[in-house]
Amino acid sequence: MIAFDRVTLTYPGATTPALGDISVHIPEGELCLVVGPTGAGKTSVLGAATGRVPHFTGGVLEGRVLIDGRDTAAHLPRHLADVVGVVMQDPLHGFVADTVEEELAFALEQLGLPQPVMRSRVEEVLDLLDLAPLRSRALTELSGGEQQRVAIGAVMTAQPKALVLDEPTSALDPTAAEDVLAALTRLVHDLGITVLLAEHRLERVVQFADSVLHIRPDGTATYGAPAQVLGALAHPPPVVELGRLAGWDPLPLSIRDARRHARGWRSHLPPRPDAPPAPAEENNAKSRATTAAKHDGALLRAHKVRVSYGPVTAVNGVDLQVGAGEILAIMGRNGSGKSSLLWALQGLGPRSAGQVRLPAAPGAPDPADLTPAHARRHIALVPQTPSHLLYHDTVAAECAAADADAAAASGTTARILADLVPDLPEQRHPGDLSEGGRLALALAVQLAADPPVLLLDEPTRGLDYRAKENLAGLLTDRAASGRAVILTSHDVEFVARTATRVLTLAQGEVVADGPARQILTASATLAPQVAKILHPLDYLTVAEVETALGGRS
Amino acid sequence: MTSLTTRHPGPSAAHARPVHPLAWWAWAGGAIAAITRTDSTTGIVLLTAAVMTVAATCRSRAPWTRLYHLYLGIAAAVIVLRLVFYVLFGIRTGGSVLIPLPAVPLPSWAGGVSLLGPVETQGLLHALSGALGLAAIIVCFGAANALANPKHVLRHLPGALHDLSTAVIIAVTITPQLVTSARTVRRARQLRGAPTSGVRAALGYVRPVLQEAMDRAISLAASMDSRGYASTQRAASRALTGVLLAAVLLAGVGTYGVLDTTTPWWLGAPVLSAGALIGAGATAIASRRVRRTRYRPAKWQVRETILAASGLAAAGVVTVGAQSPPASPLHWPGLPAGLIAAAVLLLVPVVWGRAPR
């Protein structure tokens, strides 16, 4: 269905090709997962499969890309609309109309189909993706998962034979992501649609994949069965990693497979990972962090915080205390008030009622009463779009300006950045960095003033495994040195790896607040893969299992 | 995809149909004509109040209607600016003084103009009534844009103006997001403790905002393209596009001629009809080049006729009534029956044109 024949792609101005000699044939009715580190060329592969590369982006494409027999060299993207549908990371950026029904009909209107055909196709897609109750709703009022389903529906009405999706679930909470992926699998199974799907959070999608296309940083690719390709990855999803550790064959790809393997194997493990003396680095940092929290005073105290936007209450009376050495993860559905709470805690966001105090700072001030330049020395926030913090032309200029903003010794930011990402080119424009590079730079900028409390809004969005490892290391180090971190995240595996405490929000209210292990293992939606596989044992990460096994033998 | 076997029900009766966007524009056009033909300040205020009432009651709650407040803001700013300008630079004729401010003569190189000076009632009223006329027209435009979805209006643009309408669709979609994006960037800048006022700071966040707008425009264009936008269109000939633009220009000049009573007669109706005729012809030819269909085409029914007629009738009533000699601005005239009738006519949509909730 989608065939790459010796495809080499070079962007204008680039010296090395972004894609190097890729030959792949993805047969009809297959869900193919595209994996690889950021910047490796996943987006280029997807773009080439839709004709956007090189028609929209420029560049030289050698070789041939055929979609259902149509050569993208001879067909503009608009002439491929009835063969391949494209869904992007942020559905709102692609919406043309105002309501669900109009959006679904847009492609049909453009193709000039007669009205009765349009009516029946729209109704069909409304049923297929379970959108009928939303048909006359405004697109901006929908939740993230609903918007993504509408975006899929909007291309499905043209009845394409293939779907290309670029990280469709990266902005979604676990439940909404499952809805979207379930809708996709239904399309694959019931209608035989071919799907090309790029995703960073492999753990979410790996069980649905029929094949995997791995793009390496040099632009070359490997294509094969999921177990085979993923088993060879340096950072496989936890389910595969655990399988590899336990020596299960064939490697499990879904929780269900892994649990069947784990049935007898669980007895090898002690019931709790921290029961035996576990001298592993990460575990140690975690337990040290928890003890530190008990002894030291609080760094941030919030009492009955309320945030209202007109008639809508985003945060409703949240009480919160964070002590030194804690990494608190705030979780909850899209729109449950996580970001509003973070901004209100920092002091720059609106707060309708309640109190926030920084007990460790002189005079225990309310951050909202401090000037922004003063407040950031005690409590810093890295927003959801880290690039908003950056406005200079080069990484070096950004670092110098950050030193000045923070009144820190010159070279401070550059040093923090070098610890995070050792080889970031100094003269590069921040806009040209990878997602992980930009986050690292924004983090370094905010950490230049060394604030005791660091707030992060969805920090792992768009990060690959290596970048997440780096971030986790930084956060754990900060907690270990007596500072506090509060982050919001949908990334269950990342939270399981880093957080000491988890707080869940629903409709602006605290639903649960407790030690990470207790909250994560008790929840069906928030449990990481390892916890699901080893239930009822209380393990969260593969590293814990490894340590426990090591301690035994 | 599987073939459709079951019949789906059509839209339920509760799914009320929105009013045809061109009906709203006809109504607003009538209101604008009526306002420009009204000399008395009270009349303008009355007619504008009618327009605002309709905008308040018939507007839907969709996000695109929020721009209405922007138009109201601009209208208010026009009035304030005009009054400030009068107080600062206005020519004093020596009428009754409202506020005795001292005059500050400027040096001779400034042309002997003096700043400030006693604020006179008559001059102030004159400035106010001039500003009110302009503000009222801005409010009418805002009302039309809030009542008729701009994206739906664009669908009625002829096919030959396709490129133009593409640009406008993208602009209409992106512009409201610019405001949000500017606010986000400004707040992020504050997070860093960086100054947010001053020219350098402003320049600092103009770039990320524009960059984001650009990225969004490109991804929107890519999304439209991948969904087959313009895939069925044959390239329009340049000549036809030229003719259409000329027709629009003629219609514009003609409208101006009709509205402005001081222009020669031939600049009015004759030019307007010439523009309309040429435009209609070119559109007919151009629309044969596009093979696009409508999912739920807007229907022109009795309701639409009533709305359009109410606006146009209001304009007619005022035009007939304006034959009487204009009143001096200081003389507050009793409201002539014609103006009251026009205001009532403009209020007709309150009954007939409410948006489906």
Side-chain angles (χ1 to χ4, degrees):
Chain A
M1 176 58 52
I2 302 175
F4 283 69
D5 184 16
R6 311 217 54 166
V7 171
T8 301
L9 171 76
T10 316
Y11 285 115
T15 46
T16 50
L19 298 178
D21 198 19
I22 294 185
S23 292
V24 182
H25 179 241
I26 298 159
E28 193 180 324
E30 188 166 294
L31 193 153
C32 176
L33 188 59
V34 184
V35 302
T38 30
K42 291 198 297 291
T43 308
S44 300
V45 168
L46 299 186
T50 60
R52 282 191 193 179
V53 174
H55 290 298
F56 233 86
T57 56
V60 179
L61 189 136
E62 292 161 65
R64 289 209 308 168
V65 181
L66 293 176
I67 300 146
D68 195 27
R70 287 191 214 173
D71 192 334
T72 57
H75 291 84
L76 288 170
R78 71 184 74 141
H79 295 130
L80 295 167
D82 53 338
V83 198
V84 60
V86 193
V87 177
M88 294 184 289
Q89 193 178 58
D90 195 337
L92 262 187
H93 288 191
F95 285 154
V96 187
D98 295 313
T99 64
V100 173
E101 219 176 340
E102 287 175 4
E103 188 65 27
L104 293 183
F106 178 79
L108 302 174
E109 293 183 335
Q110 304 313 317
L111 296 173
L113 296 174
Q115 219 195 347
V117 177
M118 285 200 268
R119 285 303 296 273
S120 67
R121 287 216 196 158
V122 168
E123 295 299 335
E124 208 172 330
V125 168
L126 283 173
D127 282 346
L128 197 62
L129 294 170
D130 198 14
L131 293 167
L134 310 173
R135 63 189 308 156
S136 40
R137 294 268 299 277
L139 291 167
T140 45
E141 286 173 5
L142 302 181
S143 74
E146 289 166 343
Q147 284 176 348
Q148 200 55 278
R149 292 213 313 272
V150 173
I152 296 175
V155 297
M156 283 307 298
T157 46
Q159 302 195 339
K161 298 193 168 113
L163 265 185
V164 171
L165 304 103
D166 194 356
E167 300 202 26
T169 66
S170 70
L172 303 182
D173 61 67
T175 317
E178 265 169 35
D179 280 353
V180 170
L181 291 169
L184 269 185
T185 15
R186 176 137 36 120
L187 297 180
V188 174
H189 288 220
D190 294 0
L191 307 177
I193 303 263
T194 312
V195 174
L196 197 60
L197 170 74
E199 186 60 67
H200 270 309
R201 275 179 231 175
L202 297 180
E203 63 272 9
R204 281 183 173 175
V205 290
V206 65
Q207 51 182 319
F208 303 113
D210 298 309
S211 61
V212 175
L213 180 64
H214 175 214
I215 319 283
R216 279 183 289 272
D218 60 357
T220 57
T222 326
Y223 171 77
Q228 175 201 340
V229 179
L230 294 175
L233 284 185
H235 298 284
V239 60
V240 175
E241 204 179 353
L242 188 69
R244 216 156 59 174
L245 179 73
W248 293 331
D249 186 50
L251 274 177
L253 295 173
S254 66
I255 303 292
R256 185 166 169 268
D257 291 350
R259 272 194 76 83
R260 288 160 69 151
H261 282 297
R263 228 178 280 152
W265 189 78
R266 277 198 296 264
S267 57
H268 294 294
L269 289 167
R272 292 182 65 86
D274 44 0
E281 197 186 343
E282 183 219 6
N283 235 22
N284 211 10
K286 258 196 179 181
S287 53
R288 200 167 56 217
T290 356
T291 38
K294 274 174 201 150
H295 294 304
D296 295 332
L299 291 179
L300 177 83
R301 215 175 262 143
H303 183 62
K304 300 240 172 289
V305 172
R306 263 177 72 92
V307 179
S308 310
Y309 303 101
V312 184
T313 304
V315 177
N316 195 0
V318 169
D319 287 321
L320 181 80
Q321 180 168 328
V322 187
E326 274 195 294
I327 302 178
L328 170 66
I330 302 178
M331 306 186 79
R333 273 173 225 116
N334 294 91
S336 58
K338 301 188 297 294
S339 292
S340 299
L341 176 60
L342 272 200
W343 280 89
L345 291 180
Q346 206 279 336
L348 270 180
R351 174 171 21 127
S352 330
Q355 261 197 341
V356 181
R357 293 269 173 230
L358 299 167
D366 181 339
D369 297 338
L370 303 174
T371 62
H374 196 161
R376 66 161 291 201
R377 286 186 211 153
H378 301 287
I379 180 163
L381 194 158
V382 176
Q384 200 163 36
T385 317
S387 59
H388 284 163
L389 278 179
L390 311 172
Y391 48 103
H392 290 278
D393 287 329
T394 61
V395 173
E398 201 73 68
C399 289
D403 290 341
D405 284 344
S410 86
T412 314
T413 314
R415 208 171 44 245
I416 300 171
L417 183 63
D419 281 346
L420 271 174
V421 191
D423 46 359
L424 210 59
E426 276 215 326
Q427 292 309 314
R428 186 79 67 83
H429 191 284
D432 295 336
L433 297 174
S434 70
E435 207 76 54
R438 265 201 297 272
L439 175 73
L441 183 56
L443 257 174
V445 164
Q446 287 300 61
L447 288 179
D450 195 19
V453 184
L454 176 66
L455 311 174
L456 299 161
D457 197 359
E458 279 299 326
T460 59
R461 190 173 171 179
L463 296 191
D464 55 21
Y465 276 92
R466 205 178 55 139
K468 277 187 210 173
E469 283 299 300
N470 283 345
L471 179 64
L474 172 97
L475 299 185
T476 321
D477 282 353
R478 285 194 71 76
S481 62
R483 290 158 180 96
V485 177
I486 305 180
L487 60 100
T488 67
S489 186
H490 293 314
D491 192 332
V492 176
E493 301 294 338
F494 182 78
V495 169
R497 159 102 173 67
T498 51
T500 59
R501 214 174 104 200
V502 171
L503 182 151
T504 53
L505 281 183
Q507 296 185 306
E509 288 168 356
V510 178
V511 179
D513 181 3
R517 189 177 307 283
Q518 188 188 324
I519 303 276
L520 292 180
T521 49
S523 154
T525 49
L526 298 182
Q529 288 197 313
V530 171
K532 283 183 183 162
I533 296 167
L534 298 181
H535 184 79
L537 308 185
D538 280 345
Y539 288 84
L540 293 178
T541 63
V542 180
E544 284 175 356
V545 177
E546 206 171 352
T547 319
L549 285 177
R552 276 250 145 162
S553 55
Chain B
M1 203 176 273
T2 49
S3 66
L4 185 78
T5 46
T6 48
R7 277 203 155 270
H8 291 272
S12 59
H15 186 100
R17 191 175 57 84
V19 177
H20 195 293
L22 293 188
W24 278 124
W25 275 99
W27 170 83
I32 290 173
I35 285 168
T36 44
R37 290 284 166 145
T38 307
D39 294 313
S40 78
T41 312
T42 349
I44 292 176
V45 170
L46 185 69
L47 293 179
T48 315
V51 169
M52 288 172 72
T53 313
V54 172
T57 48
C58 301
R59 192 152 65 94
S60 76
R61 291 287 164 265
W64 49 266
T65 62
R66 285 178 209 151
L67 277 180
Y68 176 58
H69 297 284
L70 182 72
Y71 284 94
L72 288 188
I74 295 176
V78 162
I79 296 176
V80 172
L81 262 182
R82 180 71 185 87
L83 293 184
V84 167
F85 268 107
Y86 166 75
V87 172
L88 279 179
F89 311 112
I91 294 163
R92 271 52 173 179
T93 48
S96 60
V97 173
L98 196 64
I99 313 167
L101 286 180
V104 184
L106 288 183
S108 55
W109 52 259
V113 178
S114 65
L115 278 182
L116 297 172
V119 176
E120 293 156 5
T121 317
Q122 194 162 11
L124 199 66
L125 276 180
H126 192 75
L128 183 67
S129 74
L132 268 180
L134 184 54
I137 291 174
I138 293 172
V139 169
C140 289
F141 267 103
N145 267 320
L147 290 165
N149 188 340
K151 287 181 192 165
H152 292 182
V153 178
L154 285 172
R155 291 180 167 184
H156 298 275
L157 272 189
L161 294 179
H162 168 82
D163 296 340
L164 184 71
S165 66
T166 309
V168 177
I169 286 181
I170 291 179
V172 163
T173 314
I174 302 290
T175 316
Q177 297 167 352
L178 263 181
V179 183
T180 330
S181 152
R183 209 176 298 147
T184 327
V185 171
R186 195 186 131 87
R187 221 165 54 149
R189 194 59 41 91
Q190 279 179 304
L191 275 182
R192 204 173 146 164
T196 46
S197 53
V199 178
R200 272 190 67 179
L203 284 179
Y205 55 84
V206 162
R207 200 167 60 181
V209 169
L210 287 184
Q211 209 170 341
E212 199 163 299
M214 202 65 176
D215 288 347
R216 283 192 162 205
I218 289 173
S219 61
L220 179 60
S223 154
M224 288 166 71
D225 200 36
S226 287
R227 283 193 272 160
Y229 189 67
S231 60
T232 54
Q233 178 155 11
R234 284 176 291 154
S237 75
R238 279 177 189 282
L240 196 60
T241 310
V243 170
L244 259 166
L245 283 176
V248 170
L249 203 68
L250 278 179
V253 171
T255 314
Y256 176 76
V258 169
L259 295 180
D260 188 354
T261 39
T262 57
T263 49
W265 66 268
W266 51 266
L267 207 56
V271 176
L272 180 59
S273 14
L277 271 179
I278 298 173
T283 309
I285 299 170
S287 46
R288 279 188 299 175
R289 297 178 168 276
V290 193
R291 207 167 53 82
R292 240 179 306 167
T293 44
R294 289 280 158 250
Y295 176 64
R296 281 188 203 281
K299 287 183 195 148
W300 191 283
Q301 287 176 340
V302 184
R303 183 162 64 147
E304 278 71 15
T305 313
I306 294 175
L307 292 196
S310 68
L312 297 176
V317 168
V318 173
T319 312
V320 173
Q323 307 304 331
S324 54
S328 103
L330 190 54
H331 168 69
W332 289 74
L335 280 172
L339 270 177
I340 295 175
V344 171
L345 279 169
L346 282 181
L347 281 173
V348 163
V350 173
V351 184
W352 293 93
R354 289 192 185 233
R357 288 280 151 86

